[in-house]
mmCIF file of all heavy atoms in Angstrom:
data_model
loop_
_atom_site.group_PDB
_atom_site.id
_atom_site.type_symbol
_atom_site.label_atom_id
_atom_site.label_comp_id
_atom_site.label_asym_id
_atom_site.label_seq_id
_atom_site.Cartn_x
_atom_site.Cartn_y
_atom_site.Cartn_z
ATOM 1 N N TYR A 1 -17.240 -1.625 -9.875
ATOM 2 C CA TYR A 1 -17.398 -0.163 -9.962
ATOM 3 C C TYR A 1 -16.394 0.417 -10.958
ATOM 4 O O TYR A 1 -16.729 1.273 -11.784
ATOM 5 C CB TYR A 1 -17.186 0.432 -8.570
ATOM 6 C CG TYR A 1 -17.419 1.918 -8.460
ATOM 7 C CD1 TYR A 1 -18.680 2.428 -8.188
ATOM 8 C CD2 TYR A 1 -16.369 2.818 -8.608
ATOM 9 C CE1 TYR A 1 -18.897 3.791 -8.070
ATOM 10 C CE2 TYR A 1 -16.567 4.184 -8.501
ATOM 11 C CZ TYR A 1 -17.841 4.658 -8.221
ATOM 12 O OH TYR A 1 -18.034 6.012 -8.117
ATOM 13 N N LYS A 2 -15.152 -0.079 -10.895
ATOM 14 C CA LYS A 2 -14.101 0.405 -11.806
ATOM 15 C C LYS A 2 -14.350 -0.073 -13.235
ATOM 16 O O LYS A 2 -14.167 0.688 -14.194
ATOM 17 C CB LYS A 2 -12.740 -0.082 -11.306
ATOM 18 C CG LYS A 2 -11.547 0.609 -11.970
ATOM 19 C CD LYS A 2 -10.259 0.245 -11.255
ATOM 20 C CE LYS A 2 -9.068 0.987 -11.859
ATOM 21 N NZ LYS A 2 -9.138 2.444 -11.645
ATOM 22 N N TRP A 3 -14.799 -1.316 -13.379
ATOM 23 C CA TRP A 3 -15.052 -1.864 -14.715
ATOM 24 C C TRP A 3 -16.160 -1.096 -15.440
ATOM 25 O O TRP A 3 -16.107 -0.911 -16.651
ATOM 26 C CB TRP A 3 -15.449 -3.337 -14.615
ATOM 27 C CG TRP A 3 -14.335 -4.318 -14.829
ATOM 28 C CD1 TRP A 3 -13.849 -5.235 -13.947
ATOM 29 C CD2 TRP A 3 -13.563 -4.501 -16.023
ATOM 30 N NE1 TRP A 3 -12.837 -5.961 -14.502
ATOM 31 C CE2 TRP A 3 -12.632 -5.537 -15.788
ATOM 32 C CE3 TRP A 3 -13.551 -3.878 -17.265
ATOM 33 C CZ2 TRP A 3 -11.724 -5.977 -16.732
ATOM 34 C CZ3 TRP A 3 -12.636 -4.321 -18.228
ATOM 35 C CH2 TRP A 3 -11.742 -5.345 -17.958
ATOM 36 N N ILE A 4 -17.173 -0.656 -14.704
ATOM 37 C CA ILE A 4 -18.296 0.029 -15.344
ATOM 38 C C ILE A 4 -17.841 1.297 -16.044
ATOM 39 O O ILE A 4 -18.374 1.670 -17.098
ATOM 40 C CB ILE A 4 -19.414 0.316 -14.311
ATOM 41 C CG1 ILE A 4 -20.131 -0.995 -13.973
ATOM 42 C CG2 ILE A 4 -20.420 1.337 -14.845
ATOM 43 C CD1 ILE A 4 -21.193 -0.876 -12.906
ATOM 44 N N ARG A 5 -16.836 1.979 -15.494
ATOM 45 C CA ARG A 5 -16.293 3.171 -16.164
ATOM 46 C C ARG A 5 -15.721 2.804 -17.538
ATOM 47 O O ARG A 5 -15.892 3.533 -18.516
ATOM 48 C CB ARG A 5 -15.213 3.817 -15.297
ATOM 49 C CG ARG A 5 -15.752 4.456 -14.025
ATOM 50 C CD ARG A 5 -14.657 5.193 -13.276
ATOM 51 N NE ARG A 5 -15.200 5.930 -12.155
ATOM 52 C CZ ARG A 5 -15.752 7.134 -12.227
ATOM 53 N NH1 ARG A 5 -15.824 7.743 -13.400
ATOM 54 N NH2 ARG A 5 -16.233 7.737 -11.163
ATOM 55 N N ILE A 6 -15.034 1.680 -17.591
ATOM 56 C CA ILE A 6 -14.444 1.227 -18.856
ATOM 57 C C ILE A 6 -15.537 0.780 -19.823
ATOM 58 O O ILE A 6 -15.523 1.130 -21.007
ATOM 59 C CB ILE A 6 -13.450 0.074 -18.584
ATOM 60 C CG1 ILE A 6 -12.306 0.566 -17.684
ATOM 61 C CG2 ILE A 6 -12.910 -0.505 -19.890
ATOM 62 C CD1 ILE A 6 -11.411 -0.543 -17.173
ATOM 63 N N ILE A 7 -16.500 0.007 -19.297
ATOM 64 C CA ILE A 7 -17.597 -0.479 -20.141
ATOM 65 C C ILE A 7 -18.377 0.690 -20.730
ATOM 66 O O ILE A 7 -18.747 0.679 -21.917
ATOM 67 C CB ILE A 7 -18.530 -1.394 -19.333
ATOM 68 C CG1 ILE A 7 -17.800 -2.684 -18.930
ATOM 69 C CG2 ILE A 7 -19.790 -1.744 -20.128
ATOM 70 C CD1 ILE A 7 -18.581 -3.543 -17.957
ATOM 71 N N TYR A 8 -18.634 1.695 -19.900
ATOM 72 C CA TYR A 8 -19.395 2.851 -20.373
ATOM 73 C C TYR A 8 -18.691 3.530 -21.550
ATOM 74 O O TYR A 8 -19.318 3.850 -22.567
ATOM 75 C CB TYR A 8 -19.596 3.862 -19.247
ATOM 76 C CG TYR A 8 -20.207 5.162 -19.724
ATOM 77 C CD1 TYR A 8 -21.553 5.232 -20.056
ATOM 78 C CD2 TYR A 8 -19.426 6.317 -19.881
ATOM 79 C CE1 TYR A 8 -22.125 6.413 -20.516
ATOM 80 C CE2 TYR A 8 -19.984 7.500 -20.332
ATOM 81 C CZ TYR A 8 -21.330 7.546 -20.652
ATOM 82 O OH TYR A 8 -21.883 8.719 -21.124
ATOM 83 N N ARG A 9 -17.385 3.729 -21.441
ATOM 84 C CA ARG A 9 -16.638 4.378 -22.527
ATOM 85 C C ARG A 9 -16.687 3.531 -23.799
ATOM 86 O O ARG A 9 -16.896 4.058 -24.895
ATOM 87 C CB ARG A 9 -15.189 4.611 -22.078
ATOM 88 C CG ARG A 9 -14.309 5.274 -23.133
ATOM 89 C CD ARG A 9 -14.832 6.646 -23.508
ATOM 90 N NE ARG A 9 -14.823 7.551 -22.394
ATOM 91 C CZ ARG A 9 -13.772 8.304 -22.055
ATOM 92 N NH1 ARG A 9 -12.666 8.236 -22.756
ATOM 93 N NH2 ARG A 9 -13.845 9.113 -21.028
ATOM 94 N N CYS A 10 -16.492 2.215 -23.651
ATOM 95 C CA CYS A 10 -16.555 1.326 -24.824
ATOM 96 C C CYS A 10 -17.947 1.347 -25.440
ATOM 97 O O CYS A 10 -18.103 1.436 -26.668
ATOM 98 C CB CYS A 10 -16.178 -0.101 -24.423
ATOM 99 S SG CYS A 10 -14.450 -0.317 -23.929
ATOM 100 N N TRP A 11 -18.966 1.243 -24.587
ATOM 101 C CA TRP A 11 -20.357 1.194 -25.044
ATOM 102 C C TRP A 11 -20.765 2.498 -25.713
ATOM 103 O O TRP A 11 -21.388 2.497 -26.773
ATOM 104 C CB TRP A 11 -21.250 0.888 -23.845
ATOM 105 C CG TRP A 11 -22.722 0.861 -24.119
ATOM 106 C CD1 TRP A 11 -23.428 -0.116 -24.738
ATOM 107 C CD2 TRP A 11 -23.677 1.862 -23.739
ATOM 108 N NE1 TRP A 11 -24.769 0.206 -24.774
ATOM 109 C CE2 TRP A 11 -24.949 1.417 -24.167
ATOM 110 C CE3 TRP A 11 -23.583 3.085 -23.068
ATOM 111 C CZ2 TRP A 11 -26.111 2.152 -23.959
ATOM 112 C CZ3 TRP A 11 -24.743 3.820 -22.855
ATOM 113 C CH2 TRP A 11 -25.980 3.357 -23.296
ATOM 114 N N LYS A 12 -20.365 3.623 -25.114
ATOM 115 C CA LYS A 12 -20.761 4.929 -25.635
ATOM 116 C C LYS A 12 -20.117 5.205 -26.992
ATOM 117 O O LYS A 12 -20.739 5.794 -27.886
ATOM 118 C CB LYS A 12 -20.361 6.022 -24.639
ATOM 119 C CG LYS A 12 -21.057 7.361 -24.842
ATOM 120 C CD LYS A 12 -22.502 7.315 -24.416
ATOM 121 C CE LYS A 12 -23.141 8.695 -24.430
ATOM 122 N NZ LYS A 12 -24.565 8.651 -24.054
ATOM 123 N N THR A 13 -18.867 4.782 -27.148
ATOM 124 C CA THR A 13 -18.131 5.053 -28.385
ATOM 125 C C THR A 13 -18.177 3.878 -29.364
ATOM 126 O O THR A 13 -17.546 3.946 -30.423
ATOM 127 C CB THR A 13 -16.663 5.376 -28.065
ATOM 128 O OG1 THR A 13 -16.051 4.248 -27.407
ATOM 129 C CG2 THR A 13 -16.554 6.605 -27.166
ATOM 130 N N ARG A 14 -18.883 2.799 -28.979
ATOM 131 C CA ARG A 14 -18.978 1.591 -29.816
ATOM 132 C C ARG A 14 -17.593 1.035 -30.140
ATOM 133 O O ARG A 14 -17.310 0.629 -31.277
ATOM 134 C CB ARG A 14 -19.756 1.878 -31.099
ATOM 135 C CG ARG A 14 -21.148 2.449 -30.870
ATOM 136 C CD ARG A 14 -21.858 2.754 -32.172
ATOM 137 N NE ARG A 14 -23.081 3.523 -31.951
ATOM 138 C CZ ARG A 14 -24.282 2.996 -31.722
ATOM 139 N NH1 ARG A 14 -24.410 1.694 -31.700
ATOM 140 N NH2 ARG A 14 -25.342 3.770 -31.518
ATOM 141 N N THR A 15 -16.737 0.996 -29.138
ATOM 142 C CA THR A 15 -15.361 0.537 -29.304
ATOM 143 C C THR A 15 -15.134 -0.737 -28.505
ATOM 144 O O THR A 15 -15.500 -0.803 -27.327
ATOM 145 C CB THR A 15 -14.356 1.607 -28.819
ATOM 146 O OG1 THR A 15 -14.622 2.829 -29.491
ATOM 147 C CG2 THR A 15 -12.921 1.166 -29.086
ATOM 148 N N CYS A 16 -14.533 -1.746 -29.131
ATOM 149 C CA CYS A 16 -14.223 -2.987 -28.428
ATOM 150 C C CYS A 16 -13.146 -2.749 -27.372
ATOM 151 O O CYS A 16 -12.257 -1.909 -27.553
ATOM 152 C CB CYS A 16 -13.769 -4.063 -29.407
ATOM 153 S SG CYS A 16 -15.091 -4.660 -30.501
ATOM 154 N N TYR A 17 -13.221 -3.520 -26.305
ATOM 155 C CA TYR A 17 -12.223 -3.412 -25.246
ATOM 156 C C TYR A 17 -10.917 -4.050 -25.697
ATOM 157 O O TYR A 17 -10.912 -5.121 -26.306
ATOM 158 C CB TYR A 17 -12.715 -4.102 -23.979
ATOM 159 C CG TYR A 17 -11.679 -4.161 -22.879
ATOM 160 C CD1 TYR A 17 -11.353 -3.027 -22.148
ATOM 161 C CD2 TYR A 17 -11.023 -5.353 -22.573
ATOM 162 C CE1 TYR A 17 -10.404 -3.073 -21.134
ATOM 163 C CE2 TYR A 17 -10.079 -5.416 -21.569
ATOM 164 C CZ TYR A 17 -9.767 -4.272 -20.854
ATOM 165 O OH TYR A 17 -8.826 -4.319 -19.864
ATOM 166 N N ASP A 18 -9.797 -3.368 -25.404
ATOM 167 C CA ASP A 18 -8.468 -3.864 -25.757
ATOM 168 C C ASP A 18 -7.602 -3.802 -24.502
ATOM 169 O O ASP A 18 -7.204 -2.731 -24.063
ATOM 170 C CB ASP A 18 -7.867 -3.002 -26.870
ATOM 171 C CG ASP A 18 -6.547 -3.548 -27.402
ATOM 172 O OD1 ASP A 18 -5.830 -4.206 -26.624
ATOM 173 O OD2 ASP A 18 -6.247 -3.313 -28.585
ATOM 174 N N GLU A 19 -7.327 -4.962 -23.916
ATOM 175 C CA GLU A 19 -6.558 -5.011 -22.663
ATOM 176 C C GLU A 19 -5.171 -4.404 -22.826
ATOM 177 O O GLU A 19 -4.717 -3.632 -21.973
ATOM 178 C CB GLU A 19 -6.441 -6.469 -22.188
ATOM 179 C CG GLU A 19 -5.612 -6.648 -20.939
ATOM 180 C CD GLU A 19 -6.439 -6.729 -19.660
ATOM 181 O OE1 GLU A 19 -7.654 -6.494 -19.733
ATOM 182 O OE2 GLU A 19 -5.865 -7.016 -18.599
ATOM 183 N N ALA A 20 -4.494 -4.726 -23.928
ATOM 184 C CA ALA A 20 -3.142 -4.198 -24.138
ATOM 185 C C ALA A 20 -3.165 -2.666 -24.234
ATOM 186 O O ALA A 20 -2.299 -1.971 -23.669
ATOM 187 C CB ALA A 20 -2.532 -4.801 -25.401
ATOM 188 N N LYS A 21 -4.148 -2.139 -24.930
ATOM 189 C CA LYS A 21 -4.280 -0.695 -25.072
ATOM 190 C C LYS A 21 -4.550 -0.030 -23.724
ATOM 191 O O LYS A 21 -4.002 1.033 -23.406
ATOM 192 C CB LYS A 21 -5.412 -0.376 -26.046
ATOM 193 C CG LYS A 21 -5.569 1.098 -26.369
ATOM 194 C CD LYS A 21 -6.671 1.293 -27.401
ATOM 195 C CE LYS A 21 -6.859 2.780 -27.726
ATOM 196 N NZ LYS A 21 -7.941 2.968 -28.749
ATOM 197 N N TYR A 22 -5.383 -0.667 -22.903
ATOM 198 C CA TYR A 22 -5.698 -0.109 -21.590
ATOM 199 C C TYR A 22 -4.468 -0.139 -20.688
ATOM 200 O O TYR A 22 -4.211 0.816 -19.936
ATOM 201 C CB TYR A 22 -6.846 -0.884 -20.956
ATOM 202 C CG TYR A 22 -7.291 -0.307 -19.637
ATOM 203 C CD1 TYR A 22 -7.898 0.946 -19.567
ATOM 204 C CD2 TYR A 22 -7.098 -0.998 -18.444
ATOM 205 C CE1 TYR A 22 -8.308 1.487 -18.360
ATOM 206 C CE2 TYR A 22 -7.506 -0.469 -17.233
ATOM 207 C CZ TYR A 22 -8.108 0.777 -17.201
ATOM 208 O OH TYR A 22 -8.499 1.312 -15.998
ATOM 209 N N LEU A 23 -3.696 -1.213 -20.759
ATOM 210 C CA LEU A 23 -2.482 -1.298 -19.943
ATOM 211 C C LEU A 23 -1.469 -0.229 -20.358
ATOM 212 O O LEU A 23 -0.786 0.354 -19.510
ATOM 213 C CB LEU A 23 -1.866 -2.690 -20.062
ATOM 214 C CG LEU A 23 -2.654 -3.835 -19.398
ATOM 215 C CD1 LEU A 23 -2.005 -5.177 -19.693
ATOM 216 C CD2 LEU A 23 -2.750 -3.609 -17.889
ATOM 217 N N ARG A 24 -1.374 0.037 -21.671
ATOM 218 C CA ARG A 24 -0.465 1.107 -22.132
ATOM 219 C C ARG A 24 -0.930 2.462 -21.604
ATOM 220 O O ARG A 24 -0.107 3.304 -21.220
ATOM 221 C CB ARG A 24 -0.411 1.124 -23.667
ATOM 222 C CG ARG A 24 0.392 -0.015 -24.270
ATOM 223 C CD ARG A 24 0.732 0.248 -25.735
ATOM 224 N NE ARG A 24 -0.460 0.395 -26.552
ATOM 225 C CZ ARG A 24 -1.068 -0.616 -27.168
ATOM 226 N NH1 ARG A 24 -0.588 -1.858 -27.027
ATOM 227 N NH2 ARG A 24 -2.136 -0.414 -27.914
ATOM 228 N N ALA A 25 -2.250 2.664 -21.586
ATOM 229 C CA ALA A 25 -2.788 3.923 -21.068
ATOM 230 C C ALA A 25 -2.470 4.071 -19.579
ATOM 231 O O ALA A 25 -2.120 5.164 -19.111
ATOM 232 C CB ALA A 25 -4.290 3.987 -21.303
ATOM 233 N N LEU A 26 -2.577 2.979 -18.833
ATOM 234 C CA LEU A 26 -2.242 3.023 -17.412
ATOM 235 C C LEU A 26 -0.758 3.343 -17.212
ATOM 236 O O LEU A 26 -0.389 4.122 -16.330
ATOM 237 C CB LEU A 26 -2.577 1.680 -16.750
ATOM 238 C CG LEU A 26 -4.056 1.320 -16.597
ATOM 239 C CD1 LEU A 26 -4.197 -0.086 -16.020
ATOM 240 C CD2 LEU A 26 -4.778 2.329 -15.705
ATOM 241 N N LYS A 27 0.081 2.746 -18.071
ATOM 242 C CA LYS A 27 1.518 2.984 -17.979
ATOM 243 C C LYS A 27 1.856 4.426 -18.320
ATOM 244 O O LYS A 27 2.677 5.070 -17.649
ATOM 245 C CB LYS A 27 2.256 2.030 -18.919
ATOM 246 C CG LYS A 27 3.767 2.122 -18.828
ATOM 247 C CD LYS A 27 4.432 1.098 -19.740
ATOM 248 C CE LYS A 27 5.950 1.201 -19.645
ATOM 249 N NZ LYS A 27 6.605 0.227 -20.557
ATOM 250 N N ASP A 28 1.209 4.977 -19.357
ATOM 251 C CA ASP A 28 1.472 6.363 -19.758
ATOM 252 C C ASP A 28 1.058 7.352 -18.671
ATOM 253 O O ASP A 28 1.653 8.430 -18.548
ATOM 254 C CB ASP A 28 0.724 6.684 -21.061
ATOM 255 C CG ASP A 28 1.282 5.913 -22.253
ATOM 256 O OD1 ASP A 28 2.429 5.418 -22.142
ATOM 257 O OD2 ASP A 28 0.569 5.783 -23.273
ATOM 258 N N ARG A 29 0.030 6.993 -17.899
ATOM 259 C CA ARG A 29 -0.442 7.878 -16.823
ATOM 260 C C ARG A 29 0.318 7.638 -15.525
ATOM 261 O O ARG A 29 0.008 8.251 -14.498
ATOM 262 C CB ARG A 29 -1.934 7.651 -16.560
ATOM 263 C CG ARG A 29 -2.850 8.032 -17.712
ATOM 264 C CD ARG A 29 -4.276 8.252 -17.222
ATOM 265 N NE ARG A 29 -4.797 7.148 -16.445
ATOM 266 C CZ ARG A 29 -5.557 6.174 -16.947
ATOM 267 N NH1 ARG A 29 -5.855 6.162 -18.238
ATOM 268 N NH2 ARG A 29 -6.015 5.218 -16.171
ATOM 269 N N ASN A 30 1.299 6.724 -15.578
ATOM 270 C CA ASN A 30 2.030 6.332 -14.368
ATOM 271 C C ASN A 30 1.068 5.896 -13.266
ATOM 272 O O ASN A 30 1.179 6.301 -12.097
ATOM 273 C CB ASN A 30 2.904 7.494 -13.862
ATOM 274 C CG ASN A 30 4.021 7.827 -14.829
ATOM 275 O OD1 ASN A 30 4.669 6.932 -15.381
ATOM 276 N ND2 ASN A 30 4.243 9.119 -15.055
ATOM 277 N N SER A 31 0.109 5.085 -13.646
ATOM 278 C CA SER A 31 -0.899 4.623 -12.703
ATOM 279 C C SER A 31 -0.256 3.818 -11.578
ATOM 280 O O SER A 31 0.575 2.934 -11.833
ATOM 281 C CB SER A 31 -1.935 3.759 -13.422
ATOM 282 O OG SER A 31 -2.792 3.134 -12.499
ATOM 283 N N PRO A 32 -0.604 4.119 -10.333
ATOM 284 C CA PRO A 32 -0.066 3.333 -9.210
ATOM 285 C C PRO A 32 -0.491 1.873 -9.264
ATOM 286 O O PRO A 32 0.105 1.026 -8.609
ATOM 287 C CB PRO A 32 -0.667 4.035 -7.980
ATOM 288 C CG PRO A 32 -1.868 4.769 -8.482
ATOM 289 C CD PRO A 32 -1.533 5.174 -9.874
ATOM 290 N N LEU A 33 -1.508 1.577 -10.081
ATOM 291 C CA LEU A 33 -1.988 0.210 -10.198
ATOM 292 C C LEU A 33 -0.907 -0.718 -10.736
ATOM 293 O O LEU A 33 -0.780 -1.862 -10.305
ATOM 294 C CB LEU A 33 -3.220 0.170 -11.119
ATOM 295 C CG LEU A 33 -3.993 -1.148 -11.204
ATOM 296 C CD1 LEU A 33 -4.555 -1.534 -9.846
ATOM 297 C CD2 LEU A 33 -5.114 -1.032 -12.220
ATOM 298 N N LEU A 34 -0.094 -0.215 -11.668
ATOM 299 C CA LEU A 34 0.952 -1.037 -12.278
ATOM 300 C C LEU A 34 2.260 -1.007 -11.504
ATOM 301 O O LEU A 34 3.201 -1.733 -11.838
ATOM 302 C CB LEU A 34 1.214 -0.578 -13.717
ATOM 303 C CG LEU A 34 0.029 -0.700 -14.679
ATOM 304 C CD1 LEU A 34 0.446 -0.291 -16.084
ATOM 305 C CD2 LEU A 34 -0.526 -2.123 -14.688
ATOM 306 N N SER A 35 2.327 -0.185 -10.466
ATOM 307 C CA SER A 35 3.553 -0.106 -9.678
ATOM 308 C C SER A 35 3.499 -0.985 -8.447
ATOM 309 O O SER A 35 4.406 -0.980 -7.624
ATOM 310 C CB SER A 35 3.799 1.346 -9.244
ATOM 311 O OG SER A 35 2.748 1.812 -8.413
ATOM 312 N N VAL A 36 2.369 -1.717 -8.321
ATOM 313 C CA VAL A 36 2.212 -2.587 -7.145
ATOM 314 C C VAL A 36 3.158 -3.772 -7.239
ATOM 315 O O VAL A 36 3.279 -4.382 -8.293
ATOM 316 C CB VAL A 36 0.748 -3.083 -7.041
ATOM 317 C CG1 VAL A 36 0.615 -4.051 -5.883
ATOM 318 C CG2 VAL A 36 -0.197 -1.914 -6.859
#
C-alpha cells in the first residue's frame, strides 16, 4: 500500500526511483520511520 504511493509518483512524473533520495526526503521530514 505504501509502495504504490511512491510508484504512482514515479510513474506519473516519469521519474526513476532513487532510494538515497527518498531516504533524504524521509530524514528532512523527520519521519518516524527512520527513528525506529
Side-chain angles (χ1 to χ4, degrees):
Y1 185 88
K2 193 170 183 66
W3 263 118
I4 287 176
R5 291 185 173 277
I6 298 170
I7 294 171
Y8 172 74
R9 180 61 63 87
C10 293
W11 177 76
K12 197 73 172 178
T13 61
R14 304 178 190 271
T15 305
C16 291
Y17 174 74
D18 186 331
E19 177 97 352
K21 185 177 179 180
Y22 184 67
L23 290 175
R24 286 195 300 270
L26 290 176
K27 184 177 180 181
D28 292 342
R29 295 200 308 264
N30 294 318
S31 171
L33 189 61
L34 298 183
S35 62
V36 176

